[in-house]
Amino acid sequence: MHTTEPIVTGASVLGIQCVDGVVLGCDTLASYGSLARFQRVRRIVQPGADWVLGGGGEYSDLQEVARLLETMVTREYCQEDGVVRAPRAVHRYLARVMYQRRSRLDPLFNSLVLAGRGRFLGVVDMYGTAFESHVVATGFGSLLALPLLRKAWRPDMRMEEGAACVEHCLRVLFYRDCRALSSVQLARVPAEGAIEVSEPYELGELQWHVAQTVA
Amino acid sequence: MDRPLSHSSFLPPLFSSAPHPLSPPHSVPHPSAAPSVNAAERPARWSPYQDNGGTVVALAGRDYAIVAADTRFSVSFSIPTREFTKITQLTDRVVLASAGMGADRQYLHKMLHTRLAMYRHQHQRDMSLPAAAQMLSNTLYSRRFFPIYAFNVLGGIDSATGEGFVYGYDAIGSHEQLKVVCSGSGQAIVQPVLDQQFSGRQRYSVPDAERAPSLTLEQATALVRDAFASATERDIHTGDALEMWQITAAGVRQTRYELRKD
């Protein structure tokens, strides 16, 4: 069965590269059309020790990609030589998988963001286009959040600042994107040291009293 | 010198149903809706193709070739990244630039590098410019019925004579050896200017023999920079930065210039 249109979908994923690491963020909603169907799903997964994957688009396809990467990591582990793929290698691998599937006209309907140790931040889309960038936003976020991230980004930015910036963008998305949610998940991927993927939490500081003045 | 045929004529109708550029990313119909019998109401069939825009130029003189491209990567009206290179160096003397779909050109470049490595191992030397040009054509034609959506210009210098040449392609491998060529979203803006300024079209006072290669490397570089600056003014898919590769007997040199980012 080919995915010709997504059914259960996740919305934007945001990422920002800082001097001491990378921050990744997204909400925890998997929509069924316009219905906010599954509200506490994890769209950031961490199959390996050195990187995390965030994904939007068809949720079942995202689970398939996660399963694929878990298999890859298990195979590496079974080799018992301590050799693991670097984030950049995983990114390339994902790009080839996505390109192969689109060329079979059986795409994995996702936009994927990979964040890894050594300040790696890269995107792969359902066509197999892959690139690295210092700021990343997929889905509706590419229209609404990407300009905000680009404006806020500085080469000397630290992760606390980056996380605040991503959180701000998620808040803006929640205000304007009807497929976004105020329950979010953040991943902090330091250049060195352990990766930290947060539990889903609620965005605070929501101000709806201004809504009546906004068109 | 006719331009290679436009791309749209090679895509079977199956792949021509691109979504409207303004359709929001969330225009998902309600899943419980009954499948519509009316074809006009059904959502457009998913297309494996995407146009990521960009302009590529190659031109050649008596002892040099220039290959240039902008670095913008666009998806309809948004710019996911401003730094997406369209150029790849194939050998010491041959450089390739591709416009079109990002994923397809990444695949094509990867494929070409593999085949060049195989050639190097078999023949213990780099591929010549005409050989690389023919290989690119064959690689594109191998996907004649599922085209690689990439519009290539290839530039380099002939290893025997040291003269510069460029090649222009369509998506399925038709190609032509030229002195100046432009492809991609800014083609209609840039090509006529280069024809007039570089090839000396309509300047009847200049003898035929002196026309084509009359520009020096410096003059040609300035012309290409102006051409891209102009294309950036009017074409929304071209901009951000210009990457230029100058190929001479001394080797290749890469330069980068900023373009408008709006």
Side-chain angles (χ1 to χ4, degrees), chain B residues 11 18 109 118 130 169 186 237 246 259 261:
Chain B
L11 301 179
H109 290 185
M118 285 162 66
Y169 294 80
H237 300 302
Q246 298 168 325
L259 291 171
K261 295 188 168 44

Side-chain angles (χ1 to χ4, degrees), chain B residues 6 17 34 63 89 91 121 123-124 129 138 148 150 172 236 249:
Chain B
S6 91
S17 58
D63 57 355
Q89 182 182 358
T91 72
H121 291 137
H123 302 279
Q124 297 192 14
L129 176 62
N138 295 157
I148 295 170
I172 54 169
I236 59 165

